């Protein structure tokens, strides 16, 4: 039986987040718009989740963007930076 837990929260910019973890993977699911008003918060939260996955010794971090209705170029940049940070771990 795989261990799994889920946590829902809203960050200061108004993005809703669901985070699920099982034995090998941390899955983060932001919900809402990632635009000029939320991109910095989105980037910071991704960095926190990368740190969390790394500290927990997890093999993978997955970002589910299925509930993101819009993403600006700043959001895409945050994803690129998160990918680089994840590879460095």
């Amino acid at each position: 039986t795989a261990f799994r837990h889920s946590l829902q929260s809203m960050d200061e910019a108004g993005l809703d987040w669901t985070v699920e973890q099982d034995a090998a993977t941390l899955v983060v699911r932001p919900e809402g718009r990632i635009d000029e008003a939320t991109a910095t918060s989105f980037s910071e939260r991704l960095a926190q989740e990368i740190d969390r996955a790394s500290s927990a010794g997890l093999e993978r971090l997955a970002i589910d963007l299925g509930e993101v209705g819009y993403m600006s170029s700043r959001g895409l940049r945050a994803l690129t930076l998160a990918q680089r940070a994840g590879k460095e771990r």
Side-chain angles (χ1 to χ4, degrees):
T1 302
F3 168 75
R4 179 177 290 279
H5 77 272
S6 178
L7 171 70
Q8 289 187 297
S9 64
M10 181 179 284
D11 67 19
E12 64 276 357
L15 284 175
D16 288 319
W17 290 82
T18 302
V19 179
E20 294 182 352
Q21 179 181 335
D22 64 20
T25 306
L26 186 68
V27 179
V28 295
R29 292 183 180 92
E31 180 180 338
R33 291 177 54 90
I34 301 170
D35 54 22
E36 296 300 310
T38 60
T40 299
S41 177
F42 175 69
S43 182
E44 291 170 353
R45 180 67 182 261
L46 287 179
Q48 290 172 1
E49 298 302 340
I50 290 167
D51 288 344
R52 180 194 313 223
S54 179
S55 296
L58 299 174
E59 297 173 15
R60 289 179 297 277
L61 171 80
I63 305 166
D64 180 348
L65 299 173
E67 296 298 322
V68 172
Y70 170 82
M71 182 178 290
S72 72
S73 60
R74 286 190 62 201
L76 294 173
R77 182 176 190 278
L79 287 174
T80 301
L81 294 174
Q83 180 185 25
R84 288 182 191 160
K87 285 183 178 181
E88 292 174 0
R89 306 262 171 177

